[in-house]
Amino acid sequence: MSETDKNVLLIGDELLAERRGGPEARLPDDMHPLAARTIHAIDWLNDWTGRIVCLMVVPIIFAMVYEVVARKFFVAPTLWSYDVSRMLYGMSFMLGAGYALMRGLHIRADFIYRGFSERIQGRIDLILYVVLFMPSMLLLLYAGYEFALKSILQGERAGDSTWAPIVWPVKSSFAIGVALLALQGISEILKSWYAATRGKWPV
Amino acid sequence: MLALSNEILGLYMIGAMLFAIFIGFPISFTLIFLGIVFGALGFGMKLTIFLMTLQFYGSMMEQTLAAVPLFVFMGFMMEQAGLMERLFSAIQLMLARMKGSLYLAVLFVSVIFGAATGIVGASVTILGIMAATTMSRSGYDVRLAAGTITAGGTLGILIPPSIMLVVMGPVLEVPVTDLFAAAIIPGIMMAVLYTLYTLGRCWLNPSLGPPLPEDMIPENRSDIWKEFFLGLVPPTVLIAFAMGSILSGWATPTEGAGMGAFGSLVLTIAYGKFGWKKTYDALIKTLEISVLILFLVAASNFFGAVFSRLGTPSMITDILLGLDFGPSMIIIMILTLVFLLGWPLEWVPIVLIILPILQPVLIELDVNMTWFAILVAVCLQTAWLSPPVALSAYFLKGVAPDWDLKDIYYGMMQFMVIQLIGLGFVFVFPELALWLPRYLYGN
Amino acid sequence: KTVIRVQSVIPTGADEIVMLKDFGEDVKALTDGEVVIEVLPAGAVVGVQETLDAVDSGLLEGGFAWTHYWSGKHPAAMLFGSPVAGAGIGIDNIAFMSWYLNAGGKELYDELWTEMGMNVKGFMLQPAGPEALGWFKEPIETMADFRKYRFRTPPGIPGQTYKDIGVASVAMGGGDILPALEKGTIDAAEWCCPKPDSVFGFQKVLKHYYLQGLHQVVVNADLYINGDVYRSLTPLQQKALEVAANASLMKSMAYRINENGIALDKLVNEDGVILHDTPDDYFTEYMAAAAKALEQNAAENPFFKKVWDSQKAFAKTAVPYWAQAQRTNANLGEAYADTLKKQ
Ligand code: NA
Ligand code: NA
């Protein structure tokens, strides 16, 4: 994609994907090498998480189709398809939350925000990531860790299904998902720092 | 410092949210942060973050929502194969000289979708994926187009089967089957009102939904029929897989979504459009859209839970009950309340918190609960359309990033007015809701 | 003044909530208005499945559900909330109360919450059994007929037991049940008893109703209060809770006999529902499979074994006597019910 094409795309694309970063994006040369390495490493981690987590839809499709066919044609419904589908769905959207942040996909109501210069945008983001985002995520990480640990130690099973599977994979995914979000927050803080000081987004 | 009751704190919370989300930081994180701050002020930090883990876990285990990634995947597979746009171009060709034909197409598909699922996120998303590009390319008015897609998508919570009605039934002690039967006519009525509105406006101002340019209208009638047939086959097959499996009773809505996703794979293979890379791209995009929708659902559930826990909804309700009015006035006031709460909240807390508190009063006033439930359902449809917590807008924005959120908001506002007109009809003519259940089940 | 906000797992209009509020009134009167039970609807603060965790953490002061709702946290919860097939040893709901109040059940019940690692104090409030076998599209004469139908089963071991005896058991969320029945996705389902079932609306879709079932022949709803909140009460207030809870056991049983009777009369005489007797082979097959499931759990979990052993010791003498007494009751009742039919 040429430089002009990219700008045209960005005009309408700002809200959702105002900067579709990612490990493939080249970071500017005037960025501190440590910052650049950190951003690259975190983005790489969440990118690969996303690439793997996106595959979880496939077994959900399989479970649903299997259940429908087995129940309809063989009067042999399963007890597992219900639980498998909801657990995989829940795990995928939490584990993918960091990936979505890396891609700039979490929705903003920013018809005021995008009128600002990139330097101002960077400052706003920098402040809010530090003051609003990181404390929330760290608190949640702490709570999520305890929540998951308790479930693992209890060997907790789902109380609202016949199959009654263990639920710690879901609760652990919540904690891991928050950890990935918090980690991505570091990368986003470094990117906003750059924008706040240099007046343009690094990626 | 003044002692602040939790109920008043909840009002400040709403106020703070209305201000904060427009700073432009991602909405999910803003809601989470405000939920934590106001929850901590109201009932302590420890309990607030614990409430949040519970709300997120609850959202993660909600099997009906598993239909979201499945319907999204189905939509992306169709989009990648270019099989779905064909229906719209086909209908556009069929009705080439008709103004606003794509509005008609969107609303028609909305009704079909609404009849198959009650999942607004999936409906709006897939309608957006199918129609937004085509509408943009054909020079449609962005606001009217966005309004049509978002309003059409919300029809799914009114037209049965509807998750909202299923939740509402036990709360109001009305059999869900009655609610399903009662919602059919109002649901179709809303679709008709939308159609009249969009086509009426196109008739007055053709630039809102232009007919195809002359050079794109084929000379040969058989071309049109061929295009129509080719355009119609994929959605028909897909509907047979997804909606067909649900309507025929083979599958629950979520399973039907899985069937649809599978059907989309079968179709791409049958049309020779299958590719590993394209499929993988569809999977990645599915994850992106799903996260964007579902993370926000979880975040707003948490925000709503804090608001409820502060007791503000109950306070608003108590004030209402303290007034000495007749049933009609009370119902109008309740609907106004539901409408207003629908701006910052989604339907779940409204249905689960407000309705149970009001139910005894309504029984006291001898209000027909089936009718009342449908009034609330029509009214709650606006909750999806009213900013700032207007999930429909964000779903659409997710799949139509070229469209400005402001334009989507303006588009939805128009349809909220129509929604209120429809609500007025059901209010003045209760038979719109009550005739069909009586006809089907006697009593 | 202590306000105990209790979140339930069912809608506000349900019978359980009526009786829970009645219990609250008793507590209020007994404590001179110092302890107030405020009932919150399901989902008011946390989701249904998260209620117990919320009470444990203090997010809610109290919660209300059936004990077996928490079988996922400890398998023995099932032995208190819905001991499958009468714990496999012939215990009905009244006999269960005898075990609970008179034969060591209460002490084990307190121990259950400790075993679960929950900082709560529980009170059994409402026996609700026996629950119906369920609703069917067509009549069933034998287990072979039963196995032809897709049956939406209850959660946990009672449901797994259906799978074990070859019933086509379907797992499905509560909200999906009625649409699924309407469209034939499933052919049969169970919920509870005549009153709640008619509120649920099964009679609109299915007409064949089987009252005699074993999966939840005993069902108990209970209240649990956050441990810190409970310990902050005065001894007199704690006693008031206990006395009101014991009264609630009897009051709920009385309430349900009357309400279910009225509902069943309406189902049969106005809604055209046909009552059937459950096939005989159901009882033998289900009992055998349930016993196996219970054995397995007892082998895996020492506390489960401890509770079940206590129930067995009780049943050894109590059940043979009580079965005789129940036969007297049943014969008496049926004799009168028959005269009503002839009129
Ligand atoms: Na629907
Ligand atoms: Na809204």
Side-chain angles (χ1 to χ4, degrees), chain B residues 339-346 382-391:
Chain B
F339 178 77
L340 292 178
L341 286 173
W343 290 65
L345 295 176
E346 284 308 331
T382 60
W384 293 89
L385 303 173
S386 48
V389 181
L391 292 185

Side-chain angles (χ1 to χ4, degrees), chain A residues 67-77, chain B residues 249-250, chain C residues 135-137 145-153 167-170 181 184-189:
Chain A
E67 170 69 13
V68 171
V69 173
R71 190 175 60 216
K72 178 67 196 173
F73 295 105
F74 303 97
V75 197
Chain B
W250 289 23
Chain C
W135 298 76
F136 289 76
K137 195 168 70 174
D145 285 346
F146 195 168
R147 281 188 270 264
K148 279 184 229 154
Y149 297 115
R150 289 160 276 246
F151 181 59
R152 194 274 178 181
T153 49
V167 170
S169 315
V170 178
L181 283 171
T185 315
I186 52 175
D187 314 302

Side-chain angles (χ1 to χ4, degrees), chain B residues 88-111:
Chain B
F88 284 88
S89 59
I91 293 183
Q92 175 110 350
L93 285 173
M94 294 285 288
L95 309 168
R97 291 193 172 76
M98 181 184 164
K99 295 155 197 159
S101 55
L102 285 179
Y103 295 122
L104 193 62
V106 166
L107 289 170
F108 178 74
V109 177
S110 296
V111 173

Side-chain angles (χ1 to χ4, degrees), chain B residues 113-118 155-162:
Chain B
F113 250 88
T117 80
L155 279 176
I157 57 163
L158 187 58
I159 297 174
S162 149

